[in-house]
Amino acid sequence: GTFPNNHINLIVIHFEKFLEKLNEITFTSNDLLLLLKSEESDTEMSIAIIDNIDEAKILAEPETCKILCDNYSKATIKVDISFDLLKALIKNGNNEKSKIVVFNKHISDLTRDEVILILGGTLTRPYSQFMKSLRKTNIPKTYYNLELINYLKNNNFISTYSEKKSSYRVNSKR
């Protein structure tokens, strides 16, 4: 029989060597997706990929961004990424939690306009409502939402928020 994706198994086994030789290897965005979908793929591998692989290969495949967002959200470390990659990870993330956790990791490095772009354009409701004036928006009561709205309040993106039984009520600015 043939082993069409055998190179992925070899990469998994020799991941450190793979990273060293990255610039000498032809590695497609499809290969990258196969690597991330492999059983051995984990948070550590995702961080190494975000940190070392050409962003164009990551951006080419929304499914890759989805897996990376979810794995990166579980990592305790932060890696330097471009604003475009951050937007793609957040846009394609699998769930609200991974999107907001990744956003929170980088929010303090962003310009005011970049924060507004992600809130108003990349994230969907209820977060996009924060940028509309005089809105009252409820979001689930979670540690990552509290971290986000504290940042937004302290940096004048929202006017106030209050704690309800199972949610936070966020009041937009005028």
Side-chain angles (χ1 to χ4, degrees):
T2 61
F3 302 99
N5 296 325
N6 219 15
H7 64 298
I8 300 299
N9 296 332
L10 288 169
I11 289 170
V12 167
I13 295 164
H14 304 286
F15 192 67
E16 295 300 315
K17 246 190 198 99
F18 164 71
L19 289 176
E20 286 168 26
K21 305 272 184 208
L22 202 53
N23 298 327
E24 305 159 29
I25 301 170
T26 306
F27 190 69
T28 68
S29 51
N30 190 49
D31 291 332
L32 179 55
L33 185 54
L34 288 170
L35 179 61
L36 286 168
K37 284 182 163 180
S38 71
E39 285 174 19
E40 292 80 4
S41 174
D42 60 10
T43 302
E44 216 171 296
M45 186 183 282
S46 290
I47 296 299
I49 285 169
I50 292 171
D51 220 12
N52 293 284
I53 290 201
D54 176 19
E55 284 189 0
K57 287 190 175 119
I58 297 172
L59 293 168
E61 185 54 70
E63 180 79 0
T64 297
C65 293
K66 179 177 130 182
I67 296 168
L68 288 176
C69 179
D70 297 344
N71 286 344
Y72 184 33
S73 72
K74 296 171 192 147
T76 52
I77 61 165
K78 174 178 142 188
V79 287
D80 277 341
I81 57 175
S82 72
F83 180 63
D84 285 340
L85 181 54
L86 178 63
K87 268 193 332 197
L89 293 178
I90 292 169
K91 179 178 183 226
N92 295 293
N94 206 17
N95 57 53
E96 195 173 79
K97 180 181 180 181
S98 59
K99 292 176 183 199
I100 301 302
V101 168
V102 169
F103 186 29
N104 286 342
K105 279 184 201 240
H106 293 274
I107 197 167
S108 60
D109 303 328
L110 302 176
T111 67
R112 194 163 181 83
D113 287 345
E114 287 169 338
V115 171
I116 291 168
L117 263 172
I118 287 180
L119 279 173
T122 308
L123 287 167
T124 53
R125 283 170 170 260
Y127 305 97
S128 56
Q129 300 298 99
F130 297 171
M131 294 297 97
K132 298 187 167 116
S133 69
L134 297 170
R135 290 287 169 104
K136 291 178 180 3
T137 309
N138 290 313
I139 58 170
K141 197 171 178 177
T142 62
Y143 74 89
Y144 53 88
N145 278 335
L146 182 60
E147 186 181 330
L148 175 64
I149 57 179
N150 270 325
Y151 180 88
L152 296 176
K153 168 83 181 82
N154 294 338
N155 290 278
N156 275 332
F157 287 98
I158 59 173
S159 87
T160 57
Y161 70 86
S162 55
E163 196 172 320
K164 303 288 180 217
K165 191 175 177 181
S166 63
S167 65
Y168 296 110
R169 185 177 185 101
V170 179
N171 299 308
S172 301
K173 295 194 79 65
R174 291 184 175 274

